[in-house]
Amino acid sequence: MKIRATALLLALAPILVLAWAALEIAWRLTPVPLGLTKSPPESVEFVDRTGKPLRRILQEQRIYRSRCSLSDVSPNAIAATLSAEDKRFRVHTGIDVVAIVRALAEAIRTGQIRSGASTITEQLVKLSYPESTRGMWGKLTEAWAALSLERHWNKDRILEEYFNRLDYGDLQLGLASASADYFEKPSSDLSAAEAAFLAGIPQAPSRLDPFKHFDAAKARQRWVLGRMHLNGFLDDAAYARALVEPLRLRQHDRDFEAPLFVDLLLERRGTLPPDGGVVRTAVDLSLNRWIDDVIARQLQRLVDKNVTAAAAVVIDNSTGEVLALSGSGDYFEAGIGQINGAWNARSAGSALKPFTYVRALELGAFPGTVVADVPTDFPTDTGLYHPNNYNHRFYGPVTLRFALANSLNVAAIKVLEQEGGPDTLYSTLQRAGITTLEHSAAYYGLGLTIGNGEVRLLELANAYAALARLGVYKPFRLFVERASLARPTFNAVNTPWNLGLASEARSTESQRIFDERAAYLLVDMLSDNQARAGTFGLNSYLAFDFPVACKTGTSSNYRDNWTFGFTPEFTVGVWVGNPDNSPMRGITGVTGAAPIFHEIMVKLQDRYGTTWYHEPSGIEHCYIDPLTGHRVASDQPRAVQEIYAFAPESARPADYDSGGRVRLPEEYRAWVESDQNTLGDLLAGNRQVKHLRILEPAAGALYYFDRDLSANDQRLLLRAESTGQVEWSSPTLDIHSQGSQASIGLKEGRHEIAARDTLTGETGKIWIEVEPW
């Protein structure tokens, strides 16, 4: 009998060997399942410049998917998954015969199927065929495909692909996605307790969803931990610790940070990266959140002024990267929540004036060039244009420095007219990246310089950044080109998708659009706090303990106000207004946007430090008479120091009469004879001043006082027309005198201010009102 059996085996052996060889050949010739030949695209995850998550985009509108390599998977997660799903994974060849026999015996004994026998390889095949055939034929097909796959892929590759395709519930596909979703950590950092918790979910992702059925998921975790202990992956002590380790699930809400920034990024790109993945953006989330709080506080202070919205941007001048883009209000508020104040086009007000002045400086003007700030009619195609200054005052002969610092409308229009008209400014703004001027230059006319065109906060801030670089334009960037302020912490990549996005269609390269010396002169004008003191005071929100160039703007009827400013390192832009375009109540750039701007600029200086500019070659210094703009000796009574690139004219005999008074051209005549003339006997042909007259502040004027600032930080300049020196006094306000200048600190109430001409003894007094705002 034994001989016959042996003979039979010897006879069958070649057949069995040939059969096995045929199977091996068949398995190796069977292609890898089509669904495994290409990895499914990942969800797109936007992170800030340091790797903090901003938003994940649903893949195929229904799932979140992230990939990781097996080397990035915690050994705990591998042990937990093998214990839960396939403890003999490392030794079987695709199917587990022992598990199949056990499952069949159990089914025969109990009359029902109580446990499965699918290996990880078989499950992976099934995951690649979501519509695979059910029943016995389907099982056989999966088994065959699993045996074939094991001939093509090694165990690590199979396990890696398995981890990246498992459904972990809560719309999460892949271990990396689940680890970030439930525990806010990479899969490499999972503890044994966390790994067992996740490994248990794929058995029934809906029934074991931790956010809906935590107790069931926790029970499953304890079972997995028991299997890990039984299989030798956990010793007694580690098992005991894992059982009592608290699970700290993250709050059940999706990452949704810097929403307006991400919306803008998606709007400008139009499509998502085709392969998904992590996209590192330029925004600094911690800075963006802090600015959100600053805006919220300012809006609360302005709640009774019909102010409902604000936006702010911060640009890194060295790269053009947008470090912050912050808006206000509830993003999910119907109708207005998703209106992006940083990208919505609004009337610019006076914020465009610097671009008129920089062109004048390029054409040969200098900060001391004098322009006539007097009532003027400008002929246009539709009739005479009769602009006015914001405070309805005219100052006569003013330097460009004074005119820009105090935002004089008529002077700016005259400068624009003298340099060639609206076409000049129109082309300048286009070169600086402004894309919202949809009409011709003629349509806007000379009023373009005082803001009758619409601009976007981000684009105009980036135009100011060109001034901050002394004339070099860079496209703003929503993605990180290089880690200039912080090192990314994980999975931070640049892709062809994000690298292809820049703020201008015609070029992504830096280019010089302004003369360096002209830009430097403009920067010097914009940073001159003394020059703007007549309008804004010495201690406004535009005053800093370090040099900052800045400019405000307010559109008609107080519908928009702006503040822009920069140091060599950073440019900041702020807009305040209402999404429905309704007017605010008396809120200007210096009271609405400037407080936000001030806080941001101080924060940047404290956090990173700031520097200032070195004079470019070709910048010279001289003394001028500010009433003529001509060079004079340093000992001339009115001489002030000024800088220039193109040498100004020297004083001429025709500038003065025999008494040393300034002769002004004919265009000043009406102003000289008006009550707005505050120069008195300094001008030839002027009526003689015989009586003391208080010029500033105006009698009966109403001022607003910020309770958050001390009176010493809110001061007004005092000016009077007189024969001799003026002595000032007030029974209720503090007056500070230094040389010929005097200023007064504000506080609430009705106050008397008195002046006395020390030469004639003549006195005068006025009353002003100061209210909180």
Side-chain angles (χ1 to χ4, degrees):
M1 195 70 181
K2 290 181 178 179
I3 294 173
R4 287 181 182 177
T6 303
L8 180 62
L9 286 174
L10 289 172
L12 291 176
I15 297 174
L16 293 175
V17 170
L18 288 173
W20 184 259
L23 285 173
E24 281 289 341
I25 292 171
W27 285 327
R28 293 179 187 279
L29 290 177
T30 300
V32 172
L34 189 62
L36 294 178
T37 56
K38 183 178 181 182
S39 299
E42 299 181 61
S43 298
V44 177
E45 181 176 7
F46 294 106
V47 299
D48 87 330
R49 63 193 299 107
T50 65
K52 297 184 182 73
L54 301 177
R55 188 190 304 183
R56 297 177 75 200
I57 308 297
L58 281 169
Q59 186 61 246
E60 301 166 359
Q61 300 302 309
R62 60 187 179 88
I63 55 172
Y64 296 102
R65 181 190 283 118
S66 297
R67 292 187 61 83
C68 62
S69 64
L70 192 61
S71 61
D72 291 327
V73 176
S74 163
N76 292 320
I78 295 174
T81 298
L82 295 182
S83 296
E85 301 293 341
D86 188 358
K87 68 178 182 180
R88 282 178 288 276
F89 171 74
R90 293 291 182 183
V91 296
H92 65 62
T93 60
I95 61 174
D96 188 346
V97 177
V98 175
I100 292 173
V101 172
R102 187 202 69 237
L104 286 173
E106 182 79 5
I108 293 169
R109 186 176 61 81
T110 63
Q112 56 183 333
I113 297 175
R114 289 194 170 183
S115 63
S118 293
T119 63
I120 282 177
T121 312
E122 289 177 287
Q123 292 180 52
L124 177 58
V125 169
K126 187 172 184 178
L127 289 171
S128 70
Y129 288 119
E131 306 298 329
S132 60
T133 305
R134 296 178 179 275
M136 183 57 68
W137 179 250
K139 289 288 186 182
L140 291 174
T141 302
E142 289 170 10
W144 180 272
L147 289 165
S148 172
L149 184 61
E150 292 260 354
R151 272 70 180 173
H152 292 285
W153 288 4
N154 63 33
K155 291 288 186 179
D156 283 353
R157 185 174 181 186
I158 292 170
L159 189 58
E160 177 179 307
E161 198 61 36
Y162 181 70
F163 274 125
N164 285 315
R165 291 176 183 255
L166 273 180
D167 184 349
Y168 287 90
D170 197 39
L171 307 180
Q172 307 300 318
L173 255 64
L175 180 63
S177 185
S179 181
D181 181 64
Y182 293 119
F183 297 117
E184 295 185 291
K185 61 173 57 175
S187 56
S188 58
D189 293 346
L190 292 170
S191 68
E194 294 165 338
F197 188 80
L198 294 182
I201 297 173
Q203 184 196 50
S206 297
R207 181 170 57 83
L208 297 175
D209 184 332
F211 293 122
K212 298 176 181 177
H213 309 289
F214 181 79
D215 290 342
K218 182 66 176 174
R220 175 73 173 164
Q221 179 223 26
R222 288 193 291 269
W223 180 86
V224 175
L225 286 172
R227 302 282 293 183
M228 294 173 70
H229 183 221
L230 183 65
N231 294 333
F233 290 117
L234 295 178
D235 59 25
D236 292 343
Y239 174 59
R241 287 195 303 272
L243 284 173
V244 298
E245 179 182 318
L247 296 173
R248 296 180 175 85
L249 297 183
R250 74 165 179 82
Q251 259 187 313
H252 189 211
D253 54 0
R254 303 293 174 202
D255 292 315
F256 203 79
E257 302 285 358
L260 295 176
F261 175 88
V262 177
D263 280 357
L264 177 62
L265 185 153
L266 292 171
E267 174 189 339
R268 287 177 55 72
R269 189 57 183 171
T271 59
L272 293 171
D275 296 325
V278 177
V279 178
R280 183 159 54 102
T281 69
V283 74
D284 182 330
L285 182 56
S286 63
L287 178 63
N288 213 74
R289 285 172 172 169
W290 180 82
I291 293 175
D292 284 341
D293 293 338
V294 172
I295 288 175
R297 291 196 303 271
Q298 174 66 351
L299 291 181
Q300 186 59 40
R301 288 194 288 264
L302 300 175
V303 69
D304 61 336
K305 303 296 184 182
N306 190 40
V307 181
T308 61
V313 298
V314 179
I315 295 174
D316 177 352
N317 293 335
S318 65
T319 63
E321 292 167 5
V322 179
L323 302 180
L325 189 153
S326 178
S328 57
D330 181 2
Y331 177 83
F332 297 101
E333 182 179 351
I336 64 172
Q338 295 174 38
I339 295 177
N340 192 339
W343 196 244
N344 199 29
R346 305 291 297 233
S347 178
S350 295
L352 297 183
K353 287 175 182 172
F355 300 94
T356 294
Y357 284 85
V358 73
R359 183 58 181 150
L361 295 168
E362 288 181 318
L363 293 174
F366 77 112
T369 297
V370 167
V371 62
D373 182 44
V374 298
T376 306
D377 291 326
F378 297 91
T380 70
D381 293 340
T382 58
L384 291 178
Y385 175 39
H386 187 74
N388 207 336
N389 287 328
Y390 170 76
N391 59 2
H392 301 285
R393 281 195 55 192
F394 294 92
Y395 294 84
V398 294
T399 62
L400 298 191
R401 181 183 294 274
F402 181 91
L404 177 59
N406 293 277
S407 202
L408 303 183
N409 291 335
V410 174
I413 292 171
K414 286 197 170 187
V415 172
L416 180 58
E417 184 183 48
Q418 291 167 9
E419 67 189 36
D423 287 319
T424 303
L425 177 58
Y426 188 86
S427 61
T428 296
L429 294 173
Q430 287 187 320
R431 288 201 314 275
I434 303 302
T435 65
T436 49
L437 300 177
E438 298 178 349
H439 305 284
S440 66
Y443 174 87
Y444 299 106
L446 294 170
L448 182 59
T449 190
I450 59 175
N452 67 5
E454 293 188 335
V455 297
R456 292 174 171 139
L457 173 65
L458 180 54
E459 288 187 339
L460 188 52
N462 197 51
Y464 272 85
L467 298 175
R469 301 183 199 101
L470 298 186
V472 175
Y473 174 86
K474 289 178 181 284
F476 66 80
R477 299 185 182 275
L478 301 179
F479 300 98
V480 171
E481 184 179 15
R482 61 179 178 82
S484 52
L485 293 178
R487 186 178 299 277
T489 56
F490 70 95
N491 286 349
V493 296
N494 282 319
T495 69
W497 183 82
N498 68 46
L499 291 176
L501 179 60
S503 67
E504 56 174 14
R506 65 186 186 278
S507 173
T508 59
E509 300 299 324
S510 301
Q511 54 184 306
R512 176 164 293 285
I513 61 172
F514 302 125
D515 176 78
E516 181 184 20
R517 294 179 302 170
Y520 177 81
L521 295 176
L522 185 76
V523 167
D524 190 72
M525 294 159 66
L526 290 173
S527 61
D528 191 341
N529 191 58
Q530 186 69 36
R532 57 176 163 255
T535 297
F536 299 102
L538 292 170
N539 294 286
S540 73
Y541 288 107
L542 305 181
F544 295 86
D545 294 332
F546 54 97
V548 177
C550 44
K551 182 72 184 75
T552 63
T554 303
S555 66
S556 60
N557 298 318
Y558 302 101
R559 296 183 189 276
D560 309 274
N561 62 69
W562 315 75
T563 301
F564 294 92
F566 54 84
T567 65
E569 292 76 22
F570 304 104
T571 296
V572 176
V574 180
W575 167 83
V576 170
N578 293 306
D580 63 3
N581 207 33
S582 60
M584 298 170 283
R585 287 195 283 274
I587 296 300
T588 65
V590 78
T591 56
I596 299 172
F597 167 81
H598 189 96
E599 282 200 59
I600 295 172
M601 194 58 79
V602 170
K603 177 75 170 182
L604 293 171
Q605 204 275 340
D606 289 344
R607 184 173 177 181
Y608 301 113
T610 58
T611 60
W612 199 238
Y613 301 93
H614 298 291
E615 283 188 3
S617 61
I619 297 296
E620 304 291 343
H621 295 249
C622 68
Y623 287 89
I624 65 163
D625 183 336
L627 298 182
T628 66
H630 295 160
R631 298 179 68 156
V632 296
S634 60
D635 59 355
Q636 203 253 31
R638 285 189 304 275
V640 296
Q641 194 168 30
E642 195 50 273
I643 59 176
Y644 64 88
F646 298 98
E649 288 186 62
S650 296
R652 301 168 300 185
D655 289 342
Y656 307 99
D657 68 7
S658 59
R661 292 171 297 189
V662 174
R663 290 192 177 105
L664 295 177
E666 183 64 24
E667 65 179 314
Y668 290 92
R669 179 180 294 278
W671 175 84
V672 167
E673 295 298 328
S674 73
D675 289 338
Q676 296 212 3
N677 174 9
T678 60
L679 298 178
D681 279 346
L682 296 177
L683 304 179
N686 185 47
R687 55 184 169 79
Q688 297 296 312
V689 178
K690 298 180 179 178
H691 302 287
L692 175 70
R693 183 158 63 103
I694 297 176
L695 303 174
E696 292 185 40
L702 173 62
Y703 294 91
Y704 291 99
F705 176 81
D706 188 339
R707 289 174 172 168
D708 295 334
L709 297 177
S710 68
N712 190 52
D713 289 332
Q714 301 177 80
R715 306 187 70 83
L716 291 175
L717 289 178
L718 300 176
R719 294 178 63 225
E721 186 179 71
S722 64
T723 304
Q725 293 292 319
V726 177
E727 185 179 82
W728 297 92
S729 62
S730 172
T732 54
L733 296 177
D734 170 57
I735 293 176
H736 175 71
S737 296
Q738 184 174 3
S740 61
Q741 285 194 339
S743 63
I744 195 163
L746 296 181
K747 64 181 180 181
E748 294 178 48
R750 188 168 186 265
H751 306 284
E752 175 189 298
I753 299 174
R756 186 177 75 88
D757 188 323
T758 57
L759 186 62
T760 65
E762 188 176 8
T763 62
K765 66 176 64 174
I766 60 168
W767 292 85
I768 64 170
E769 296 277 352
V770 181
E771 295 181 0
W773 67 278

